[in-house]
Amino acid sequence: MPTLSINFDPAVIAHLMKASGDDTVHVTLSLGSGDEPSSPKKVVPYGPLADLMKADLLKAGTVLTFHQRRANRWGRAVVTADGQLVVDGHATPFPSPSKAAEAVTGNVINGWTLWHVEGDGRTLDVLRRELESRTSK
């Protein structure tokens, strides 16, 4: 029987240590060969969040949240390296902020104005406008 070796990047371990019992943590395993762990392939972001990621305004692993008090709804999503959003409670990543928001709210909604960066509270729309102001100079 072959030996199975699983190596985690220290950032993954740090994320797991911060996670609460209600968090969903997604881990992707890939097949390597030989004694050395395979080096991860460079993932290039695509889709609606790609420009923000390429400009370092948004990074893989960034946590996005929202809370709608009147509707008593809240959501949490994590940005993937390829620019998608993994929403807590959903197995499949979403390609856009609005699709991710719709999955949580059940309504067609503008995800750019709904999702906030955890910690600083900026919306994705604010980040997008910041990128536009950078490129218009």
Side-chain angles (χ1 to χ4, degrees):
M1 171 138 238
T3 302
L4 175 64
S5 174
I6 300 174
N7 298 294
F8 289 100
D9 182 274
V12 172
I13 301 300
H15 179 76
L16 290 171
M17 296 298 288
K18 291 182 203 170
S20 73
D22 295 334
D23 287 342
T24 301
V25 177
H26 297 271
V27 177
T28 302
L29 301 176
S30 61
L31 188 59
S33 61
D35 294 333
E36 293 295 316
S38 63
S39 57
K41 294 180 177 120
K42 175 107 170 121
V43 177
V44 178
Y46 63 91
L49 298 177
D51 290 339
L52 294 177
M53 295 179 76
K54 290 174 186 173
D56 284 331
L57 288 169
L58 194 62
K59 297 186 183 305
T62 299
V63 175
L64 305 174
T65 60
F66 77 83
H67 183 211
Q68 294 176 311
R69 286 180 180 84
R70 284 188 174 167
N72 196 27
R73 288 189 291 224
W74 54 89
R76 182 180 178 277
V78 178
V79 179
T80 65
D82 63 0
Q84 297 188 69
L85 293 173
V86 175
V87 177
D88 284 357
H90 295 268
T92 306
F94 292 91
S96 74
S98 295
K99 291 292 182 190
E102 184 177 343
V104 177
T105 65
N107 300 315
V108 175
I109 192 163
N110 184 347
W112 291 94
T113 58
L114 184 72
W115 293 107
H116 293 79
V117 175
E118 187 177 68
D120 70 16
R122 294 179 296 168
T123 65
L124 292 174
D125 190 52
V126 167
L127 296 178
R128 188 168 54 176
R129 284 185 276 142
E130 186 176 323
L131 178 60
E132 287 171 4
S133 71
R134 284 184 186 180
T135 57
S136 66
K137 291 179 181 180

